[in-house]
Amino acid sequence: MGQGQVRLGIDVGGTNTDVVIMRGQEVLASAKGFTTADVGQGIVRVVGECLAAWNGDRSDIGSVMIGTTQFVNAFIERRDLARVAAIRISLPRGDGVPPLSGWPLELRQKLDAATYMIGGGSFYTGKDYAPLDEDALAAAAADARDRGVESVAITANFAPMRPDIEERAAAIVRKTLPDADITLSASVGGIGLVDRENATIVNASLSRLARRVVTSFVQAFADLSINAPIYISQNDGTLISTEMAMRYPILTCAAGPTNSIRGAAFLTGLTDAIVVDIGGTTSDIGFLLNNFPRETTTANYIGGVRTNFRMPDVLSIGLGGGSLVKTGPDRVTDLGPESVGYRLVEKGLVFGGDVLTTTDIAVRAGSARLGDPNRVAHLANDLVEQAVDLIHAKLEEAIDRIKTSAAPMPLILVGGGSILVSRPLKGVSEVLRPAYAEVANAVGAAIARVSGRVDKLYDFQALGREEALRQAAADAKAEAVKAGADPDSVEVIDIVELPMTHMRSGCVQVRARAVGSLLAGMNAA
């Protein structure tokens, strides 16, 4: 991606839509507005404001990068979910824990998924232990059709080693369900069966919504007469095509906090720091490591469902600019997690409302200039002091939980709710508030690069460790180029060995990630 190319970065959150226009390292213009029910309408309005502030030629815009939390929000809120058939290919093995085990009861009831256990599968070596039961699979597809299934999740034992088993199964299912969206687990998760299956079902449940939302994105830019390739931010802060986002919406579930962390790094020039993004409802605390968000090493939960999907290590707490301040007789009892959200401008005291929020406390304490300060002049000094103490105590506790060392580290403060922080924070060497901090997530989207990654078993005994790692690095680079990266810019930024000590072989699970700049002129699907 050339340094002279103009880029449009957008973050579509549950409350706000943020936009920046950038050329090279320079932010040319920015805008912020509320997200609308039809996300396309909100994009048209806020992007229009940003274009007016820039006053440039929109034909100069070479690429559009969008980060969104629309899909993960829908799953958390249990809305707009497709009817799913979960097909597990593992019999006579892999049946000890049935599909959807461990899912929240209310989510299982809402999803009302049809589940099927089918014969077939392979060992970790890739050798079949049972043939695919095609008759049972065809019968399952017919039953799913009769149940009104819209989307299918297919999971087979050790599918990352033998993806052809799931591909054969999908071909059989398509004969009966030609219009259904089909998600194959080999393209979604890691080695573990149950967590990978969970991620596949989550993805399948969001497939219809993803097509609708991404189509709305594309139409919005057609309405704006912006003829540039559109990319979507994924969980690791890199880009995928719109077509990939429609097929794999789960790839975008953590794009919001990831873009904030990447944007914070760009705006300050730091490569290692704590990042606190305070919005209207929550504060997201993440860790910047080597210029990228640190990934969690533990199981990840999406809307209460355990997956082995790769996600940034982010801690969210219920503290934001719209958080309710709960009071008793002459004292503050708690802050949040309830929030007035985007209704702050009508509910907050300083805006003429009748709800005491953390923003009102910040205005009364003199750390923010918003609304009418006279409307909070009656708040007692002791009560304000207690609230400010509690705000900082909650943030300090969260920061302490995200850190891996007691040594003080720099902290980058971003987001519209950053007005809540008015004092030094314990465990922090310095607090940085960069320019454009309020739209850091859109900046993170605009600067995103293209990634490629592999998560496979390599035979160290046969190949030797050095050759196996070289192959893993080469495979990750090839995936990045395939995704649209400039081959000359691709570099491996992460490679992890996970010895499979429970297996009698020299196989080692290797995770490798490579990133590169977007190749100028690439046409996103």
Side-chain angles (χ1 to χ4, degrees), residues 8-79:
L8 190 59
I10 303 169
D11 184 87
V12 183
T15 301
N16 292 307
T17 294
D18 301 336
V19 180
V20 296
I21 298 174
M22 297 184 65
R23 177 185 283 117
Q25 306 292 305
E26 182 184 4
V27 178
L28 303 176
S30 67
K32 192 181 192 80
F34 290 127
T35 299
T36 53
D38 178 352
V39 293
Q41 293 179 3
I43 287 176
V44 169
R45 186 184 71 250
V46 184
V47 170
E49 293 176 6
C50 198
L51 290 171
W54 172 44
N55 199 29
D57 190 339
R58 59 189 71 190
S59 64
D60 289 340
I61 297 173
S63 54
V64 176
M65 290 82 161
I66 304 173
T68 181
T69 56
Q70 290 289 306
F71 309 132
V72 69
N73 288 348
F75 192 78
I76 291 171
E77 296 169 19
R78 318 311 196 206
R79 59 173 172 80

Side-chain angles (χ1 to χ4, degrees), residues 267-411:
L267 292 171
T268 60
L270 295 181
T271 58
D272 297 86
I274 301 164
V275 177
V276 177
D277 180 6
I278 307 180
T281 303
T282 63
S283 294
D284 296 325
I285 299 93
F287 203 95
L288 181 66
L289 185 65
N290 295 327
N291 210 36
F292 275 84
R294 182 180 69 195
E295 291 189 350
T296 181
T297 56
T298 59
N300 300 299
Y301 287 82
I302 300 175
V305 177
R306 176 184 167 121
T307 74
N308 61 2
F309 203 73
R310 297 172 298 270
M311 301 279 273
D313 189 4
V314 173
L315 174 63
S316 295
I317 61 173
L319 175 65
S323 294
L324 273 58
V325 179
K326 302 171 186 177
T327 61
D330 300 321
R331 66 187 183 90
V332 174
T333 58
D334 201 3
L335 303 171
E338 299 88 351
S339 170
V340 295
Y342 67 88
R343 300 182 69 186
L344 174 64
V345 292
E346 59 183 83
K347 292 290 188 180
L349 294 183
V350 294
F351 298 108
D354 58 0
V355 179
L356 178 59
T357 70
T358 50
T359 293
D360 297 314
I361 295 295
V363 171
R364 175 65 176 79
S367 59
R369 295 182 180 179
L370 292 171
D372 183 359
N374 292 324
R375 294 184 178 273
V376 291
H378 67 282
L379 296 177
N381 290 336
D382 286 349
L383 186 140
V384 173
E385 191 72 12
Q386 289 173 28
V388 172
D389 287 344
L390 190 52
I391 288 169
H392 289 77
K394 284 179 175 288
L395 288 172
E396 287 169 348
E397 180 185 1
I399 292 167
D400 188 57
R401 289 171 60 187
I402 203 75
K403 288 175 64 177
T404 57
S405 167
M409 290 191 65
L411 181 144

